[in-house]
Amino acid sequence: MQRPRITTWTIALTGLAMAAFAANSVLCRLALSQAAIDPATFTLVRLASGACVLCIILSLRRKAEQPAGSWPASVALFAYAAAFSFAYVSLPAGTGSLLLFGAVQTTMVGYGLVRGERLSALQSFGLTIAVAGLAALVAPGASAPSVMGACLMLTAGVAWGAYSLLGRGVADPISVTGGNFLRSVPIAICLFLCALSFGTHITAIGLACAILSGAVASGLGYTVWYAVLPGLTPAQGASVQLSVPVIAALAGALVLGEAISLRLSISSLAILGGIALVFGSQERAPSRSR
């Protein structure tokens, strides 16, 4: 099977998509660390603005169409977005992004194992390293992240992994994503109404961060990613996402003044390196059978 030809345009769009995904962590942490908005309101505004942008994109197509999607995927999307927002009340941007990414990939690989897929010795070694890196990152210690925040972000990762699995093989990912965002808004409204009894708040900065996260980093980010994905092999598409936690950590240090600790650095190498081994082995396997 001939591999897709990687062009300069593909590289540029891929980098833009990865920057957008990392921006979600930075924008959410920026808003919540400054108490500029509460997590429930951030979740609602993010999902609603993302739904608006995706529906506009669908309406601008040559053949306008109704958003697709499903309720199970929408519930998974909401669970991811809500846990993501509440986690960033206490987690640094880089740490949160790394936990999210590790949980997503571990969930998807774990699902494959449950379904009967088998890993090579090198892939098993990589998965073991990645899981050990996650364990080291959340282990008790002076530089350990908040336990509650870490649990919430791991939950967000599992939810996003489930969402990704539910969307495997769809013919029109933009339509499906738009429909799922649209369906998730009523669920987010229910969360917002429940949160009213505990007190909600919003400022101009918090509102701007939530809209940017939903409309630009999510809505436009997913659109760019799905446009560029056919130009990448499956392993390339998975491997390039290794850059997202790194970008988020660097942006968190530059924009938010967050420290990049030794624990985070070592855990990053273990998690990202281990996952790279898993997908790198998948990339080489077909070439030997040609």
Side-chain angles (χ1 to χ4, degrees):
M1 181 179 178
Q2 186 177 5
R3 295 186 183 186
R5 182 172 176 269
I6 304 297
T7 65
T8 303
W9 187 241
T10 300
I11 295 172
L13 289 179
T14 300
L16 182 62
M18 296 306 101
F21 294 160
N24 270 319
S25 292
V26 178
L27 288 167
C28 189
R29 178 58 178 164
L30 174 62
L32 294 172
S33 65
Q34 302 297 321
I37 192 173
D38 64 277
T41 305
F42 187 96
T43 301
L44 173 58
V45 175
R46 179 188 177 188
L47 291 174
S49 56
C52 287
V53 167
L54 289 166
C55 287
I56 290 172
I57 291 171
L58 287 173
S59 70
L60 294 177
R61 287 183 172 184
R62 291 181 182 178
K63 183 180 179 181
E65 55 196 281
Q66 294 296 317
S70 66
W71 279 109
S74 300
V75 171
L77 174 62
F78 164 76
Y80 148 74
F84 182 93
S85 299
F86 280 90
Y88 270 128
V89 172
S90 57
L91 287 181
T95 300
S97 182
L98 184 62
L99 286 169
L100 176 71
F101 180 83
V104 170
Q105 301 301 331
T106 302
T107 298
M108 297 182 71
V109 173
Y111 174 81
L113 294 175
V114 171
R115 295 277 295 177
E117 294 179 12
R118 293 292 178 263
L119 299 180
S120 67
L122 186 59
Q123 288 175 316
S124 298
F125 178 65
L127 181 60
T128 301
I129 291 177
V131 173
L134 280 173
L137 183 61
V138 300
S143 59
S146 159
V147 174
M148 179 60 72
C151 289
L152 284 168
M153 191 57 80
L154 291 173
T155 300
V158 172
W160 186 256
Y163 178 79
S164 299
L165 290 168
L166 288 168
R168 271 184 172 178
V170 297
D172 189 349
I174 295 298
S175 178
V176 170
T177 303
N180 289 333
F181 263 80
L182 202 58
R183 286 183 177 86
S184 70
V185 173
I187 312 175
I189 291 174
C190 293
L191 173 67
F192 174 77
L193 294 176
C194 291
L196 284 176
S197 59
F198 298 95
T200 60
H201 62 278
I202 187 170
T203 66
I205 293 177
L207 179 62
C209 287
I211 291 175
L212 286 172
S213 177
V216 179
S218 296
L220 292 179
Y222 296 148
T223 301
V224 171
W225 177 238
Y226 290 135
V228 76
L229 199 54
L232 303 172
T233 66
Q236 287 170 342
S239 299
V240 74
Q241 294 178 61
L242 295 170
S243 65
V244 174
V246 178
I247 296 171
L250 293 175
L254 293 173
V255 177
L256 305 174
E258 296 176 348
I260 300 178
S261 65
L262 180 62
R263 177 197 288 256
L264 177 61
S265 300
I266 294 175
S267 297
S268 297
L269 289 174
I271 295 170
L272 302 183
I275 292 171
L277 285 176
V278 174
F279 289 109
S281 298
Q282 288 178 343
E283 174 74 7
R284 289 191 294 272
S287 64
R288 291 196 296 267
S289 61
R290 290 183 191 177

